[in-house]
């Protein structure tokens, strides 16, 4: 049903006119807003017990929504976990060698009409090389000019 307006209209000069107008209501579908993805990375540095590092990645979504979270390391997908309301999705990487890593998470909502897919900023993590206390280090020095290496 098209609403109809009828009444008296005035022009700029003050003249009055009887008018009847058919009005058409126009609505647009709302555009889904992106969710915010927050990523934290906890690093268990190498130690005597564990000579390689472990990293635990945890994501949170605002507003809370169901969907799939995919964790990435240096741009490569590592794995996916479901995000459920009141949940704390996490992903563990074990036996990670020493180095610098960039981790991120992407979120794909179950209901794409309510939220748009989105990604977290990259979180940089440095896993240090394990060196037992008192372990000898090897240094190599070359004396200028003679080309001979000396082991210290």
């Amino acid at each position: 049903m098209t609403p109809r307006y009828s009444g008296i209209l005035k022009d700029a000069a003050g003249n009055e006119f009887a008018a009847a107008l058919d009005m058409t209501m126009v609505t647009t579908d709302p555009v889904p807003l992106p969710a915010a993805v927050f990523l934290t990375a906890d690093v268990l540095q190498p130690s005597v017990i564990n000579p390689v590092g472990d990293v635990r990645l945890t994501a949170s979504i605002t507003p809370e929504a169901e969907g799939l979270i995919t964790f990435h390391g240096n741009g490569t997908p590592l794995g996916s976990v479901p995000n459920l309301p009141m949940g704390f999705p996490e992903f563990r990487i074990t036996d990670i060698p020493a180095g610098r890593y960039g981790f991120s998470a992407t979120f794909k909502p179950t209901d794409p009409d309510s939220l748009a897919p989105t990604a977290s900023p990259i979180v940089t993590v440095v896993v240090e090389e394990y060196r037992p206390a008192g372990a000898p280090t090897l240094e190599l020095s070359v004396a200028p000019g003679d080309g001979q290496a000396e082991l210290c």
Side-chain angles (χ1 to χ4, degrees):
M1 179 174 163
T2 302
R4 187 163 181 82
Y5 169 82
S6 60
I8 303 296
L9 297 177
K10 288 186 180 183
D11 65 11
N15 300 317
E16 293 183 354
F17 300 92
L21 301 171
D22 290 329
M23 301 170 99
T24 304
M25 303 290 250
V26 177
T27 60
T28 59
D29 292 331
V31 176
L33 298 175
V37 180
F38 300 99
L39 178 69
T40 56
D42 298 317
V43 181
L44 176 61
Q45 293 291 354
S47 65
V48 173
I49 298 169
N50 184 25
V52 291
D54 291 346
V55 176
R56 183 182 72 193
L57 302 172
T58 307
S60 61
I61 308 299
T62 303
E64 285 187 6
E66 291 185 14
L68 188 67
I69 296 175
T70 302
F71 293 95
H72 304 265
N74 294 338
T76 301
L78 301 172
S80 298
V81 296
N83 185 62
L84 303 172
M86 304 297 290
F88 295 97
E90 87 174 21
F91 188 81
R92 254 184 214 278
I93 307 162
T94 58
D95 299 334
I96 187 168
R100 184 181 189 93
Y101 301 91
F103 294 108
S104 63
T106 56
F107 174 67
K108 182 179 179 185
T110 302
D111 179 7
D113 292 333
S114 64
L115 289 173
T118 190
S120 74
I122 293 173
V123 174
T124 301
V125 169
V126 176
V127 177
E128 298 170 357
E129 184 177 338
Y130 172 65
R131 293 184 190 245
T137 57
L138 181 65
E139 291 183 27
L140 188 62
S141 66
V142 178
D146 68 4
Q148 300 295 313
E150 180 181 323
L151 192 57
C152 303

